[in-house]
C-alpha cells in the first residue's frame, strides 16, 4: 500500500478529511490536479454555524473567524433581515470569508498532521477489488525520461503511474473523475442561465455587510469580506449564454443596478467568472472501498450558501468511521454503511431547500413575486417556521435518524455543553480541565459526559483509549451522554443504577464505534 487512504481533490472537503485521518495517526495521500497556490477563487463565501462548530472541535474556528466578517442579521428578499443572534450555538452568525481562506487553514493543519499532499497530480482512473483500491495518476510537472519505471508513481520524471490504498475518497468536485470511474450516475438538472461572480472593490459600498435581493427575473448579492473587498454575484434568468462566454464587469454592474438600484461603483475586479447552477446527487455515497463527499456527491444552487458547508460536514461524518475501519474494529463495516445512510438524506435536503430558495428569488410573474414577498414576511414573523428553516440552513438543526429501540436524543447534534473537567486518564495524568464539549472533542475521540465524580465505565476494557471522560459542570445533572467524534449523540445513560448506566453506554459505543 502507498497509503491507507487516498483522497482525491484538495478543496476544503478533501483537506478536512485528510487532516482528520492523519491526526488520528493514519497514512493519507491527497491528490490535486491544480498546481500549488491556485485556489478555487470562484467558490464559497459563507461558513455556517454548524461548520464553525466542526472547526471548533479541531481548534480552528477562532482563527478563521478572525479572518472573516460575522453577519448576524443578513438581509434577503423583500428587504427582510433574518436574526441569527438567537441561535443556540457559540457561533450565532454566518461568517463571510472567501473559500481560499478556509483552504489555507485546513491545508496548514493537514500538512502539520503529516498528510502527503501531491499537487499537479491528476487521478485518471480508479479500480478496486475486495482488498485494495488502485488509483491511476498522471503528473503534470514531469516529462518522460529514459528509464522511467512503468507503473511507479514515484519514479523521477514518470508522467503516469499507480497508487494503492485500502480506501479511496473522491472529493474532486462536480466533474469528479472518481465518480465516473466507479460508474455512478449524477442525475439532476442544470439551470440554463449562468451566474456571474467577481471579487471587486466598491467606491460607494452598502451600509451592511451583506445586501441581496431579487427583482425583474434577476438576483444580486453583495457581501463584504471585511478588508475592502466584496464578493458580487449576479444572476439573470433571461441571459442563457454558454458557460464559456467571457464575463465583463459591465454585465455584473447591469444586473446589480437592476436589482439593487446601484452598482456601488464597483471596480478593480480581482477575477470574474461564470458558472452554471446545477442540482444533482449520486444515488449512493459508497461503492465498495470508494466513497464520495462534497460536490462529487451532490451539487446544488448557491442560494443559502450550503454547498461547501454540507461537504465539510460529509467529511466530518466519514473521517472517524474510516479510522474505526482502519483500526480493525469489529462491526466497522456496518459503521461505514452509516455514512451514506446519514449523509445522503442531508444532501437531498440541501438540494431541495437551496433549489426552492433560488426559484423563489427569480419568480417571473409580478403577482407571484408579490405573493412571495408577502409569504417571506409572514415566514420571518413566525418563530417556529423561521427557527426550523434557520436550523436547517445553518446546520445546527440537523441530526440523524436513530435506530429502533434507541433513545430519542440519539443522532441529534450535541450542543457545546459546559464541563467541569474529569478523572485522570492514567496514573501520571493530571485531571482533565476542558471547560466545554467542543474543547474535549479536539482529541478526535468519543466524549463521555457523566455526573461529577462518577468513575469511568470503560476502565479496563479495550475501549478505554477511545473515550475521553468528562463531568458535567452542573452538579445536579444525573444523566450521562456519549458523544460521537462528529459531535452527535451516540448514547444516553439515565438509569439510576451507575452499573446499569455504564452497561448502556458500553452498548452505545459498540453500536456506534465498533466493538473493542
Amino acid at each position: 500500500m502507498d497509503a491507507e487512504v487516498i483522497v482525491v481533490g484538495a478543496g476544503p472537503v478533501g483537506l478536512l478529511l485528510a487532516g482528520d485521518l492523519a491526526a488520528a495517526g493514519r497514512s493519507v495521500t491527497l491528490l490535486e490536479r491544480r498546481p500549488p497556490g491556485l485556489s478555487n477563487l470562484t467558490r464559497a463565501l459563507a461558513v455556517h454555524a454548524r461548520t464553525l462548530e466542526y472547526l471548533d472541535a479541531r481548534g480552528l474556528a477562532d482563527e478563521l473567524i478572525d479572518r472573516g466578517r460575522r453577519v448576524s442579521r443578513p438581509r434577503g428578499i423583500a428587504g427582510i433581515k433574518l436574526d441569527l443572534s438567537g441561535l443556540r450555538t457559540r457561533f450565532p452568525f454566518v461568517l463571510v470569508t472567501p473559500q481560499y481562506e478556509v483552504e489555507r487553514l485546513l491545508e496548514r493543519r493537514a500538512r502539520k498532521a503529516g498528510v502527503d499532499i501531491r499537487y499537479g497530480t491528476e487521478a485518471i482512473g480508479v479500480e478496486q477489488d475486495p482488498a485494495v483500491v488502485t488509483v491511476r495518476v498522471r503528473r503534470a510537472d514531469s516529462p518522460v525520461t529514459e528509464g522511467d519505471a512503468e507503473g511507479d508513481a514515484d519514479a523521477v520524471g514518470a508522467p503516469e503511474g499507480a497508487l494503492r490504498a485500502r480506501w479511496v475518497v473522491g472529493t474532486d468536485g462536480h466533474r469528479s473523475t472518481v465518480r465516473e470511474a466507479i460508474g455512478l450516475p449524477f442525475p439532476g438538472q442544470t439551470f440554463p442561465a449562468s451566474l456571474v461572480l467577481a471579487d471587486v472593490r466598491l467606491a460607494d459600498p452598502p451600509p451592511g455587510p451583506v445586501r441581496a435581493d431579487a427583482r425583474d427575473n434577476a438576483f444580486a448579492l453583495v457581501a463584504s469580506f471585511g478588508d475592502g473587498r466584496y464578493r458580487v454575484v449576479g444572476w439573470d434568468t433571461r441571459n442563457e449564454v454558454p458557460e464559456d462566454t467571457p464575463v465583463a464587469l459591465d454585465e455584473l454592474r447591469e444586473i446589480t443596478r437592476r436589482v439593487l438600484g446601484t452598482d456601488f461603483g464597483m471596480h478593480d475586479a480581482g477575477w470574474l467568472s461564470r458558472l452554471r447552477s446545477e442540482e444533482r446527487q449520486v444515488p449512493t455515497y459508497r461503492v465498495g472501498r470508494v466513497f464520495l463527499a462534497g460536490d462529487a456527491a451532490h451539487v446544488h444552487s448557491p442560494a443559502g450558501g450550503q454547498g461547501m458547508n454540507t461537504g465539510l460536514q460529509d467529511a466530518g461524518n466519514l473521517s472517524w468511521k474510516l479510522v474505526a475501519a482502519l483500526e480493525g474494529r469489529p462491526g466497522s463495516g456496518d459503521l461505514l454503511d452509516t455514512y451514506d445512510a446519514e449523509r445522503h438524506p442531508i444532501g437531498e435536503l440541501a438540494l431541495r431547500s437551496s433549489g426552492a430558495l433560488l426559484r423563489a428569488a427569480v419568480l417571473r410573474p409580478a403577482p407571484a413575486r408579490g405573493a412571495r414577498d408577502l409569504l417571506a414576511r409572514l415566514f420571518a414573523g413566525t418563530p417556529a417556521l423561521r427557527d426550523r428553516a434557520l436550523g436547517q440552513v445553518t446546520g445546527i438543526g440537523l441530526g440523524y435518524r436513530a435506530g429502533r429501540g434507541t433513545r430519542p436524543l440519539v443522532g441529534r447534534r450535541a450542543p457545546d455543553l459546559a464541563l467541569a473537567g474529569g478523572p485522570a486518564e492514567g496514573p501520571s495524568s493530571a485531571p482533565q480541565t476542558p471547560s466545554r464539549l467542543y474543547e474535549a472533542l479536539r482529541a478526535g475521540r468519543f466524549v463521555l459526559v457523566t455526573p461529577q465524580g462518577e468513575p469511568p465505565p470503560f476502565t479496563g476494557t479495550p475501549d478505554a483509549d477511545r473515550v475521553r471522560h468528562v463531568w458535567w459542570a452542573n452538579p445536579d445533572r444525573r444523566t450521562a451522554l456519549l458523544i460521537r467524534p462528529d459531535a452527535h449523540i451516540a448514547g444516553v445513560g439515565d438509569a439510576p443504577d451507575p452499573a446499569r448506566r455504564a452497561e448502556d453506554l458500553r452498548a452505545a459505543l459498540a453500536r456506534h464505534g465498533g466493538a473493542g
Side-chain angles (χ1 to χ4, degrees):
M1 299 293 175
D2 297 282
E4 291 178 307
V5 181
I6 293 175
V7 180
V8 181
V13 179
L15 288 166
L16 179 65
L17 178 67
D20 281 359
L21 294 169
R26 316 317 305 190
S27 63
V28 188
T29 296
L30 179 58
L31 308 178
E32 174 54 57
R33 65 181 180 180
R34 291 175 290 149
L38 180 62
S39 178
N40 293 310
L41 293 175
T42 63
R43 300 296 181 182
L45 75 156
V47 182
H48 285 303
R50 184 54 173 160
T51 302
L52 289 171
E53 290 182 341
Y54 268 50
L55 296 176
D56 188 26
R58 293 154 177 82
L60 302 172
D62 291 338
E63 181 176 350
L64 186 64
I65 290 170
D66 288 342
R67 298 180 179 182
R69 185 164 185 179
R70 310 181 193 195
V71 180
S72 298
R73 301 190 68 193
R75 180 177 176 180
I77 296 172
I80 294 172
K81 287 188 176 181
L82 295 173
D83 188 358
L84 305 181
S85 62
L87 293 176
R88 300 183 67 181
T89 173
R90 186 168 176 251
F91 310 103
F93 51 84
V94 58
L95 182 71
V96 178
T97 190
Q99 176 173 321
Y100 56 78
E101 291 287 3
V102 180
E103 289 182 358
R104 185 179 302 161
L105 189 66
L106 293 175
E107 180 181 355
R108 188 189 68 198
R109 171 186 181 247
R111 288 191 182 279
K112 184 177 180 180
V115 176
D116 177 15
I117 304 179
R118 303 189 184 188
Y119 285 101
T121 304
E122 179 182 7
I124 58 176
V126 177
E127 300 169 355
Q128 62 174 312
D129 60 36
V132 66
V133 188
T134 301
V135 180
R136 291 185 293 112
V137 299
R138 177 189 297 127
R139 295 198 329 197
D141 58 350
S142 300
V144 178
T145 59
E146 187 175 353
D148 286 345
E150 182 178 356
D152 183 0
D154 292 319
V156 177
E160 293 190 9
L163 297 170
R164 295 169 181 82
R166 292 179 61 185
W167 305 96
V168 166
V169 185
T171 60
D172 49 339
H174 72 288
R175 294 188 177 93
S176 170
T177 298
V178 175
R179 184 185 64 239
E180 293 180 3
I182 60 178
L184 281 179
F186 206 29
Q189 62 178 320
T190 302
F191 286 95
S194 58
L195 293 93
V196 289
L197 311 93
D199 279 0
V200 302
R201 296 190 180 274
L202 303 180
D204 184 23
V210 177
R211 178 79 184 276
D213 211 338
R215 184 173 300 157
D216 298 334
N217 310 320
F219 170 82
L221 176 144
V222 178
S224 169
F225 290 137
D227 60 357
R229 295 171 302 142
Y230 289 79
R231 169 70 54 83
V232 182
V233 180
W235 198 51
D236 186 345
T237 61
R238 300 170 299 184
N239 190 18
E240 298 180 5
V241 300
E243 188 174 358
D244 58 358
T245 302
V247 184
L249 190 56
D250 283 342
E251 180 180 355
L252 198 54
R253 286 190 181 111
E254 192 277 330
I255 296 174
T256 307
R257 283 195 297 266
R258 180 146 49 96
V259 176
L260 300 177
T262 175
D263 63 15
F264 304 104
M266 66 180 71
H267 62 95
D268 290 346
W271 55 268
L272 294 124
S273 181
R274 185 188 305 277
L275 60 87
R276 297 287 189 198
S277 178
E278 299 189 66
E279 293 178 347
R280 302 184 182 277
Q281 187 181 30
V282 291
T284 178
Y285 287 9
R286 178 188 183 185
V287 175
R289 289 185 168 270
V290 180
F291 299 85
L292 298 175
D295 286 356
H298 49 80
V299 292
H300 28 80
S301 101
Q306 299 176 71
M308 179 181 70
N309 291 273
T310 303
L312 288 169
Q313 292 160 35
D314 290 344
N317 181 286
L318 177 59
S319 60
W320 63 274
K321 297 174 181 179
L322 278 173
V323 170
L326 290 167
E327 291 174 345
R329 300 283 176 179
S332 58
D334 293 337
L335 181 64
L336 286 173
D337 286 338
T338 67
Y339 168 63
D340 175 74
E342 292 180 343
R343 293 307 301 173
H344 196 282
I346 299 296
E348 185 178 359
L349 183 61
L351 204 74
R352 293 199 308 266
S353 62
S354 61
L357 286 170
L358 189 61
R359 289 172 176 83
V362 293
L363 285 172
R364 294 192 177 187
R369 295 198 299 272
R372 173 204 65 197
D373 293 351
L374 177 60
L375 288 172
R377 292 188 181 94
L378 289 173
F379 168 83
T382 307
L385 293 175
R386 182 191 63 228
D387 293 348
R388 181 174 181 179
L390 289 178
Q392 177 186 313
V393 172
T394 63
I396 67 167
L398 298 177
Y400 305 128
R401 292 180 180 177
R404 290 183 178 180
T406 57
R407 304 301 301 273
L409 285 176
V410 173
R412 292 188 183 181
R413 158 192 167 267
D416 198 10
L417 308 171
L419 306 176
E425 287 196 329
S428 61
S429 299
Q432 302 173 5
T433 56
S435 62
R436 52 190 183 85
L437 174 63
Y438 284 78
E439 289 178 342
L441 285 166
R442 290 176 184 174
R445 296 181 287 170
F446 283 79
V447 172
L448 176 64
V449 187
T450 71
Q452 290 186 19
E454 188 162 300
F458 299 102
T459 299
T461 74
D463 292 315
D465 63 340
R466 304 180 63 205
V467 182
R468 186 172 192 181
H469 185 186
V470 293
W471 294 323
W472 290 105
N474 184 346
D476 297 327
R477 295 296 298 265
R478 310 312 303 165
T479 299
L481 293 177
L482 182 66
I483 312 299
R484 301 177 356 174
D486 60 354
H488 284 263
I489 297 173
V492 179
D494 55 4
D497 178 18
R500 174 61 187 275
R501 189 158 58 237
E503 181 181 340
D504 291 342
L505 293 167
R506 285 194 290 268
L509 181 63
R511 184 168 57 249
H512 287 268

